[in-house]
Amino acid sequence: MTTFSLRHLGGPTSLITYGGVRFLTDPTFDQPGNYPIGNRVLVKTTGPVASPAEVGAVDAVLLSHDQHPDNLDHGGRAYLETAPLVLTTASAAERLGGTAQALPNWEHAEVGGVRVTGMPALHGPEGSEPKVGEVTGFLLSAEGLPTVYVSGDNASLALVREIADRVGPVPIAVLFAGGARTPLIDDFLTLPSPSAAEAAEILGSADVVPLHFQGWGHFTQGADTLEEAFAGKAARLHLLKPGEETEVG
């Protein structure tokens, strides 16, 4: 049995199989177009490569946050209604209801023999949370398997260092990259490529799968800058196009 596989479905959305358990990250299934949020508009430039029916049933959804349409859109919200479990932030769980369950930082939930632990995340620079809202990351672990970190929309290397200090090394890192920027905050909202490479070094990761670096107009960096940032680094970079899949182990 493959230890870990990930199929990139576009943006932050991926289907992860780990220890035989199926997880879906930040479900987004809507078509390209303009998506207003507050006084700004996020522009989606590419469509989904799989429908909710094609994704099928999963054991749990790992939802970093619900307040931005590039991480949870209309189709994603409809998918959540079919999910047996949605692990997310406390504020998102309150807003979503249904099977959504808060997973606070460093606390655990057991899903089919896999331990899912809430990881701290900050969707921008220090002090930005009142504007951007609460976000979270996840750590997957199971007996005899390498741990997997799923960053969510985290932009803070200080939090990555805290994670490494408490649980490191982390052999497999799924990093939301892209160096996202909008008029809301005059700084990066997700990891730019050099910071993604630094995060992998901090975590001691042997394998890195970037997500959320293409398909939206507010990404400032992409595949080319990721390749450049990881050139000569110890980590193996699994740079996937939507629809592609990678396996580890």
Side-chain angles (χ1 to χ4, degrees), residues 50-69:
S51 68
E54 289 169 329
V55 170
V58 297
D59 295 289
V61 172
L62 306 179
L63 179 63
S64 68
H65 60 299
D66 71 322
Q67 64 266 30
H68 299 143

Side-chain angles (χ1 to χ4, degrees), residues 69-166:
D70 59 324
N71 293 85
L72 182 67
D73 58 16
H74 302 297
R77 290 176 184 274
Y79 185 88
L80 294 188
E81 296 178 6
T82 72
L85 176 64
V86 180
L87 298 174
T88 189
T89 67
S91 56
E94 183 176 355
R95 287 187 291 262
L96 292 168
T99 61
Q101 175 181 315
L103 187 62
N105 294 342
W106 312 115
E107 294 193 11
H108 314 291
E110 299 292 330
V111 183
V114 173
R115 169 172 280 193
V116 185
T117 306
M119 294 285 105
L122 179 60
H123 197 356
E126 194 70 33
S128 61
E129 191 171 79
K131 288 186 176 181
V132 299
E134 184 183 17
V135 298
T136 192
F138 304 93
L139 192 79
L140 308 180
S141 58
E143 185 69 30
L145 298 181
T147 54
V148 178
Y149 169 58
V150 180
S151 72
D153 274 6
N154 175 56
S156 171
L157 287 177
L159 290 180
V160 173
R161 291 187 183 93
E162 181 181 351
I163 291 166
D165 288 344
R166 291 187 61 153

Side-chain angles (χ1 to χ4, degrees), residues 1-5 16-23 58-59 111-114 142 145:
M1 180 177 64
T2 299
T3 295
F4 167 91
S5 70
I16 293 173
T17 303
Y18 176 74
V21 180
R22 284 164 53 92
F23 298 95
V58 297
D59 295 289
V111 183
V114 173
L145 298 181

